[in-house]
Amino acid sequence: MNVRVTSLIDGARSATGHAVIVDVFRAFTTSAFCVAAGAREIVLVNDHEQALAMKRADPTLFLTGEIDGRPIAGFDVGNSPSAIERLDLAGRRVVQRTSSGTQGVVAASGAHAIVLGSFVIAAATVRYLRERAREVTIVAMGQNAQEDADEDLACARYLAAALRGEALPSTEVTLQGDDPAVGWADWFPRRDAELALEVDRFSFALPVSRENGLLIARPV
């Protein structure tokens, strides 16, 4: 298997083969928690107005996401796994918009296939790819898809090592919010980071299919 690691929005645009779009803090951790809460699928969009229009047409949709990290007016919840973990989303269709992860999914138009990447579904993602992929591009989406983020780079390296059969690197990430000079924002509680750094919490992968102009992730 040919595995390469790249980053940010340009990395997503250049991805070939199976593209793993990695967003640990917090998009694809949140996606996984939505599925674990019972959601049947995640529709990934890059425009919050599109998500709101979809909800006007179908009020049963559950919207999650952020702009600059903060919850979006009219959405059901922000981009927060800790806000999802105790919800019951059984059978719900989720629409997600974020500043990094969903932007990367939309940008990866040259990839043969797309898979969502985060620590909480790492082993399942590796199993899924080993069964199907000959070429894998792992994209660490970073902060706003423009600046590298330690947690995404760590996850990308971890997935690459696992796919190559190499020794797994550390998953330890320095949490900037623990710095008293920075602190934790009310829209990004420390619990979100703790949940996002749990390796293999869930046993499903989240491949994305292109259907009728939409990008839809469902658990496998």
Side-chain angles (χ1 to χ4, degrees):
M1 181 187 295
N2 178 26
V3 181
R4 69 184 178 101
V5 175
T6 185
S7 63
L8 310 180
I9 197 69
D10 287 341
R13 290 174 180 145
S14 68
T16 53
H18 278 68
V20 185
I21 308 299
V22 175
D23 189 337
V24 175
F25 287 172
R26 293 162 285 168
F28 300 144
T29 302
T30 298
S31 298
F33 271 81
C34 286
V35 168
R40 60 186 172 90
E41 61 189 21
I42 315 288
V43 182
L44 303 139
V45 301
N46 65 349
D47 180 5
H48 71 285
E49 293 291 354
Q50 179 185 357
L52 291 168
M54 291 173 69
K55 179 140 187 169
R56 286 193 293 271
D58 181 0
T60 68
L61 295 179
F62 183 88
L63 306 191
T64 176
E66 50 75 25
I67 296 175
D68 293 329
R70 293 166 173 79
I72 302 169
F75 276 42
D76 294 283
V77 73
N79 185 38
S80 173
S82 66
I84 299 291
E85 64 176 328
R86 292 183 176 84
L87 295 183
D88 180 2
L89 298 179
R92 298 286 295 275
R93 191 182 205 203
V94 173
V95 181
Q96 184 179 33
R97 184 274 177 204
T98 68
S99 300
S100 296
T102 70
Q103 306 302 313
V105 171
V106 173
S109 58
H112 170 71
I114 299 171
V115 182
L116 306 187
S118 61
F119 278 124
V120 294
I121 53 172
T125 302
V126 169
R127 287 194 299 270
Y128 179 89
L129 292 167
R130 280 179 173 164
E131 292 172 0
R132 296 165 175 83
R134 294 184 179 179
E135 178 187 3
V136 177
T137 306
I138 304 174
V139 187
M141 286 309 302
Q143 181 70 27
N144 292 325
Q146 299 294 330
E147 181 181 352
D148 284 334
D150 290 347
E151 69 280 357
D152 289 348
L153 291 171
C155 186
R157 295 180 188 121
Y158 184 92
L159 293 171
L163 287 167
R164 294 169 179 151
E166 299 171 352
L168 297 177
S170 170
T171 62
E172 186 173 339
V173 173
T174 299
L175 299 179
Q176 293 185 349
D178 285 347
D179 183 342
V182 179
W184 292 94
D186 57 356
W187 43 265
F188 191 154
R190 194 181 199 281
R191 177 69 174 161
D192 280 359
E194 293 169 350
L195 292 172
L197 294 175
E198 289 188 15
V199 179
D200 300 336
R201 180 179 176 117
F202 306 121
S203 59
F204 52 81
L206 285 172
V208 177
S209 61
R210 299 179 173 101
E211 300 176 16
N212 299 317
L214 294 176
L215 294 158
I216 303 174
R218 297 189 184 94
V220 173

